[in-house]
């Protein structure tokens, strides 16, 4: 008789016989052929009477004149005695009139199985049943705070784009990928967020970015996030780029990671090359480019040329361009090269070389007055905002960065005459009142 309260191990074995056998034959063979084999201390009959061996379970099937089955022997003995008892079962070679073979396949530790059941049940009790209890005060506060933030989510435009409540009034907004990102930022108190819902940027979001003073794109640290940034730079007005750590999504970030990522945002001018933002493809630009009439025609002096006879130095006036636009049937890139020599030949460009050399590799910018004296300095990442808000009389700007369309527009509005940068980025409109120079031109 099996005592389930004291069972420690279960011996699992399989039996095969060359003939038809049944359960009583197998049980009889086990008791009969092991009797006296291991001495009186490990006699199966005595062990079963004292409850140290439980009821032997046998399951056997006969097919094709042969029998196969399994044998389960419960044991409350220790490991050594149980192992000896299991090994004795493999000595049985006949069951009834048939030759047979018994093989031990496993010894199950009942206590280990019970421990696993206890662990799994304890996990369920901890995660599910304790939820019905009254939470602590801190949990109550966090639950209320989170529910309020979720309720604060609003929707922008006719397409009901998820956004934070501060998007409508704030001068600075954060553009994220999806609704879950907006929820996660709301959870940590960032309310000026709006999502694009994938790589297809909604027209409402693109238009909204053009009305805001500062726009930051905050995307996941994967390939999809990079593609969204590239599209935003084509259809929207982006000032800064922030990325989640590599392989992570914005919706999975905790507060510390979000704050770090937003603090480490990069001005768009510094990542133009990384996201392959180049000048428009000449093939895609219309063949007819219009060059506006310059505001004034300035003489260009030709330097003296050594010759047998002295040449009288005289000013040569630039060929007059009519007030009507001139149609030039050349690609866009060649139009830029046709205009560039006029700026390269300007004597004033030489005055900026010393400033450009000193700023090289510093990612800095200098504001110059009429006499090319430094009246202000800033970092390239803050150039757009500082230049827009600067009250002094700036005539030239020299900086170690990429000349972008936005910087050009601000320079035109501020009456700046010269703009000197490391290279020219994606520029589709060149104001006639602003001279554009690069380090190569100096």
């Amino acid at each position: 008789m099996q005592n389930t309260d004291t069972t420690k191990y279960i011996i699992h074995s399989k039996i095969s016989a060359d003939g038809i056998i049944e359960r009583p034959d197998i049980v009889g063979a086990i008791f009969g052929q092991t009797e006296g084999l291991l001495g009186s201390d490990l006699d199966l009959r005595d062990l079963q009477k004292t409850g140290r061996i439980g009821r032997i379970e046998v399951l056997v099937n006969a097919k094709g004149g042969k029998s196969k089955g399994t044998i389960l022997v419960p044991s409350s003995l220790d490991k050594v005695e149980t192992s000896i008892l299991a090994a004795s079962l493999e000595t049985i070679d006949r069951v009834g009139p048939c030759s047979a073979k018994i093989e031990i396949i496993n010894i199950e530790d009942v206590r280990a199985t019970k421990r696993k059941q206890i662990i799994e049940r304890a996990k369920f009790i901890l995660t599910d049943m304790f939820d019905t209890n009254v939470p602590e005060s801190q949990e109550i506060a966090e639950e209320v705070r989170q529910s309020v933030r979720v309720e604060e989510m609003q929707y922008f435009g006719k397409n009901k784009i998820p956004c934070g409540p501060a998007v409508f009034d704030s001068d600075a907004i954060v553009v994220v990928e999806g609704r879950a990102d907006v929820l996660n930022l709301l959870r940590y108190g960032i309310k000026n967020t709006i999502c694009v819902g994938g790589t297809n940027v909604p027209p409402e979001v693109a238009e909204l970015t053009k009305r805001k003073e500062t726009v930051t794109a905050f995307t996941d640290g994967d390939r999809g996030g990079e593609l969204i940034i590239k599209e935003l730079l084509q259809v929207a007005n982006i000032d800064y780029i922030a990325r989640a750590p590599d392989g992570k999504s914005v919706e999975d970030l905790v507060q510390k990671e979000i704050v770090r990522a937003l603090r480490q945002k990069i001005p768009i001018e510094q990542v133009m090359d990384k996201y392959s933002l180049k000048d428009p493809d000449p093939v895609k630009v219309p063949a007819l480019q219009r060059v506006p009439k310059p505001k004034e025609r300035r003489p260009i002096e030709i330097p003296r040329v050594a010759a047998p006879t002295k040449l009288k130095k005289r000013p040569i006036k630039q060929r007059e361009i009519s007030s009507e636009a001139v149609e030039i049937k050349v690609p866009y890139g060649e139009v830029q090269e046709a205009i560039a020599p006029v700026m390269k030949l300007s004597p004033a460009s030489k005055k900026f070389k010393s400033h450009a050399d000193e700023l090289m590799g510093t990612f800095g910018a200098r504001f110059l007055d009429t006499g090319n004296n430094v009246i202000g300095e800033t970092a390239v990442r803050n150039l757009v905002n500082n230049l827009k808000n600067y009250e002094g009389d700036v005539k030239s700007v020299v900086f170690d960065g990429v000349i972008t369309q936005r910087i050009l527009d601000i320079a035109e509005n501020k009456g700046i005459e010269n703009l000197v940068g490391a290279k020219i980025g994606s520029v589709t409109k060149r104001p006639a009142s602003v001279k554009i120079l690069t380090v190569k031109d100096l």
Side-chain angles (χ1 to χ4, degrees):
M1 179 175 158
Q2 180 179 356
N3 189 345
T4 56
D5 294 336
T6 59
T7 299
K8 297 179 182 179
Y9 306 99
I10 298 179
I11 302 172
H12 293 259
S13 60
K14 61 181 180 180
I15 184 172
S16 57
D18 296 332
I20 305 300
I21 57 176
E22 296 181 348
R23 179 184 180 278
D25 301 325
I26 297 173
V27 174
I30 292 174
F31 283 99
Q33 295 186 38
T34 59
E35 185 176 1
L37 181 64
L38 302 176
S40 59
D41 292 338
L42 292 179
D43 184 74
L44 283 179
R45 296 185 187 276
D46 294 337
L47 293 175
Q48 196 170 53
K49 290 179 181 178
T50 58
R52 303 182 71 186
I53 289 295
R55 185 174 183 270
I56 299 176
E57 301 288 344
V58 177
L59 179 63
V60 64
N61 294 313
K63 184 177 180 181
K66 295 185 178 183
S67 301
K68 291 184 179 181
T70 58
I71 304 172
L72 302 180
V73 181
S75 169
S76 60
L77 303 172
D78 58 23
K79 289 184 178 180
V80 176
E81 294 173 332
T82 302
S83 301
I84 296 172
L85 183 61
S88 68
L89 297 179
E90 293 188 341
T91 62
I92 299 172
D93 55 2
R94 297 191 66 83
V95 175
C98 309
S99 60
K101 180 181 178 181
I102 296 179
E103 180 182 358
I104 304 300
I105 57 177
N106 182 33
I107 296 181
E108 177 186 353
D109 190 338
V110 177
R111 294 169 299 180
T113 304
K114 289 181 179 179
R115 281 194 292 266
K116 291 181 180 179
Q117 294 175 350
I118 291 171
I119 292 172
E120 295 300 324
R121 185 59 179 170
K123 289 180 181 178
F124 174 78
I125 293 172
L126 180 62
T127 56
D128 291 4
M129 295 188 176
F130 274 99
D131 289 343
T132 60
N133 296 337
V134 178
E136 297 180 0
S137 58
Q138 184 177 359
E139 295 175 350
I140 294 174
E142 182 60 28
E143 184 176 353
V144 172
R145 189 180 298 112
Q146 182 174 347
S147 63
V148 169
R149 288 170 182 166
V150 172
E151 291 175 359
E152 285 180 347
M153 177 177 283
Q154 298 185 16
Y155 299 91
F156 181 83
K158 62 181 181 179
N159 291 328
K160 304 294 183 182
I161 301 170
C163 65
V167 164
F168 301 92
D169 302 323
S170 177
D171 293 333
I173 63 172
V174 179
V175 180
V176 295
E177 295 187 25
R179 182 178 183 274
D181 300 339
V182 176
L183 277 175
N184 193 34
L185 294 180
L186 278 175
R187 184 176 296 114
Y188 297 114
I190 302 175
K191 301 181 181 181
N192 58 335
T193 57
I194 188 169
C195 71
V196 296
T199 54
N200 188 14
V201 179
E204 295 97 326
V205 177
E207 183 62 29
L208 178 65
T209 60
K210 298 176 182 178
R211 302 199 305 264
K212 298 299 182 179
E213 184 174 347
T214 304
V215 180
T216 301
F218 190 14
T219 62
D220 298 341
D222 55 10
R223 174 65 177 167
E226 185 175 333
L227 294 176
I228 290 176
I229 290 176
K230 289 184 178 180
E231 182 171 353
L232 282 170
L233 294 177
Q234 293 178 8
V235 302
N237 193 354
I238 303 298
D239 300 300
Y240 298 94
I241 292 176
R243 300 293 303 275
D246 291 342
K248 286 191 175 183
S249 301
V250 175
E251 63 182 283
D252 299 326
L253 300 183
V254 297
Q255 184 176 13
K256 185 177 181 180
E257 294 174 315
I258 292 173
V259 173
R260 184 188 300 115
L262 291 176
R263 284 179 177 174
Q264 295 175 351
K265 61 184 179 182
I266 305 173
I268 186 60
E269 291 83 2
Q270 297 185 16
V271 291
M272 301 288 280
D273 293 337
K274 178 179 179 181
Y275 294 100
S276 303
L277 296 177
K278 302 178 181 177
D279 289 341
D281 189 349
V283 178
K284 299 181 181 179
V285 177
L288 298 181
Q289 300 290 339
R290 296 186 176 272
V291 180
K293 177 183 177 181
K295 288 189 175 181
E296 59 179 351
R297 298 186 300 276
R298 297 183 179 180
I300 300 177
E301 294 183 359
I302 298 179
R304 294 180 181 272
V305 179
T309 59
K310 292 186 178 180
L311 296 177
K312 186 177 181 181
K313 181 180 178 181
R314 62 186 182 88
I316 305 299
K317 294 186 177 182
Q318 184 182 354
R319 185 176 60 183
E320 181 177 352
I321 302 177
S322 63
S323 58
E324 297 180 356
V326 179
E327 294 184 350
I328 305 174
K329 298 184 178 181
V330 293
Y332 178 72
E334 296 181 12
V335 175
Q336 291 180 330
E337 294 177 359
I339 300 175
V342 177
M343 297 182 291
K344 291 181 181 179
L345 293 176
S346 174
S349 65
K350 302 296 183 181
K351 302 178 182 180
F352 305 124
K353 182 172 177 56
S354 60
H355 296 291
D357 292 341
E358 293 174 4
L359 290 174
M360 185 176 297
T362 64
F363 295 105
R366 291 180 178 178
F367 300 161
L368 310 179
D369 58 11
T370 307
N372 292 328
N373 299 314
V374 179
I375 58 176
E377 292 188 348
T378 184
V380 172
R381 63 176 179 272
N382 302 322
L383 178 60
V384 172
N385 291 334
N386 291 343
L387 184 60
K388 187 186 301 182
N389 300 325
Y390 195 78
E391 300 296 338
D393 187 15
V394 182
K395 291 300 181 183
S396 304
V397 176
V398 183
F399 65 101
D400 183 29
V402 181
I403 300 175
T404 63
Q405 187 65 58
R406 190 171 189 193
I407 296 177
L408 266 176
D409 296 339
I410 296 174
E412 182 183 19
N413 294 334
K414 300 286 287 188
I416 295 173
E417 298 177 356
N418 303 292
L419 197 60
V420 184
K423 62 189 300 186
I424 301 176
S426 178
V427 174
T428 58
K429 174 187 174 184
R430 295 193 174 207
S433 60
V434 182
K435 290 184 178 180
I436 305 173
L437 300 170
T438 64
V439 176
K440 296 181 180 179
D441 300 329
L442 303 179

